[in-house]
Amino acid sequence: MKFPSTRGLAAPAGLGEALAAGLAPDGGLYVPEALPRFSPSDFDGQDDLPSVAAHLLRPFFSGDPLAGALDAICREAFAVEPPLRGFGAAGDLVLELFHGPTAAFKDYGARFLAACLAAQSSGDAPLTILVATSGDTGAAVAAAFHRRPGFRVVILYPDGRVSPRQAHQLGCFGDNVQALRVQGSFDDCQRLAKAALGDAALRRDVPLSSANSISLGRLLPQMTYYAFASLQHWRRHGRPLSFVVPTGNLGNGLACLLARRMGLPIGDIALASNANAVLPEFFDGGDYRPRASVATLANAMDVGAPSNFERLSWLYPDPAQLRDVVRAASVADPQIEATVRDAQVRLGETLCPHTATAAWLLGQLRAQGLAGDACIVGTAHPAKFPEVVEPLVGGPVPLPEALAAMLARPSHAEPMAADEATLAALLRRGPEPGPGFLR
Ligand SMILES: *Cc1c(COP(=O)(O)O)cnc(C)c1O
């Protein structure tokens, strides 16, 4: 399959090329030239996540040199099966996507991208993966590429603006992973990453790739767990499953929409935003008005210009039709706090602030008469956000094993001025492990 750009000015790329490039040369986002159609029975005999994923993704791999590696890539990237379990008494469900190495759903995309890039690596010059992060993405990408021969990861994060646990995670890898704490905002980090990726001379010296939220290498794998969960529900009950998805850059929500378009048994789709209400305003009939983000308790969703909106408009060019197929709501911090407190007291469930936006919205939709089976999407483990969650639930949140192991390791990040020339020099210099690095 070929992957044209949403802007239509770049030549359609093959899968491997699109994965390695990240962004299309015309500044657009890569999208599949066609969507395959499935019915639930096409997946008969495919029971685990790696088999469902391989079947779903095969048409996207067809004709590419990576096709022969698809099964192995899926076994590696989708080894952690997300639990689909009951949530509350009313028959609602939660799909927990946070049981991977860094305890957020970003692990699925990062591990898939790493497996694909490793499978097509020529082994000549090491490839540097540059990633700007506001929290969860950097750690997932670092974990996925850590100690992988032929790869180096450089993480840019805004110094002092990620949670202490997130910062520790970003700096705890060492080896081929370098964490840079940028003296600036997340927007500065993104600007620096973009400038480096757009610097042809630099890229001749230092082969560069990115792993940001617009990579096709994150969109494709995120469809697979919606396929897996909706099929599991369909096989048990013969009914479609609706999803409420916590949303920032719209990658996860868009993957759910694509899975439904491809014929999977998915009912309604609702997007829960935090106080950054660009999407809810649009779905309420307003204009699409991207703007600077505001800080909220659900920090991984603090996005004022959702980068995947461009893919959504490609999928549904007519805004009226788009407003028909999905709904969205903004969930403010006091509602997040009330939901985390309430879920603990009434249901004995500990939610992360992001997952709480979905729980709040599902409650609203039920009150407005939403019928049928519905599932909230759990995007991160609550133990990643103890500063927010522990005061609300009135006690410590036990750490998952993988997270505890990371926090027990030493952590080191180099300070860096928010300056393009400084970053270029650092990239050319190569990794220079500091004293806290693991060997
Ligand atoms: C990234 C992230 C989100 C938002 O996902 P998008 O794909 O950007 O919409 C939600 N919750 C958590 C915990 C995240 O890390």
Side-chain angles (χ1 to χ4, degrees), residues 104-106 136 246-252 300-301 354 379-380:
F105 80 91
K106 304 291 200 303
D136 293 325
T247 298
N249 260 325
L250 194 54
N252 206 4
M301 293 158 49
H354 312 81
T379 50

Side-chain angles (χ1 to χ4, degrees), residues 387-421:
E387 302 81 2
V388 178
V389 175
E390 291 185 347
L392 295 171
V393 302
V397 181
L399 279 168
E401 225 173 277
L403 200 53
M406 278 183 200
L407 296 176
R409 276 149 59 170
S411 179
H412 173 77
E414 266 180 80
M416 193 190 87
D419 171 66
E420 293 168 19

Side-chain angles (χ1 to χ4, degrees), residues 103-106 135-137 166 213 218 222 245-253 300-301 303 308 352 354-355 378-381 384-385:
F105 80 91
K106 304 291 200 303
D136 293 325
T137 293
Q166 284 174 325
S213 68
R218 284 175 50 168
Q222 288 171 182
V245 187
T247 298
N249 260 325
L250 194 54
N252 206 4
M301 293 158 49
V303 178
N308 276 293
C352 93
H354 312 81
T355 308
T379 50
H381 194 287
K384 281 193 108 165
F385 310 95

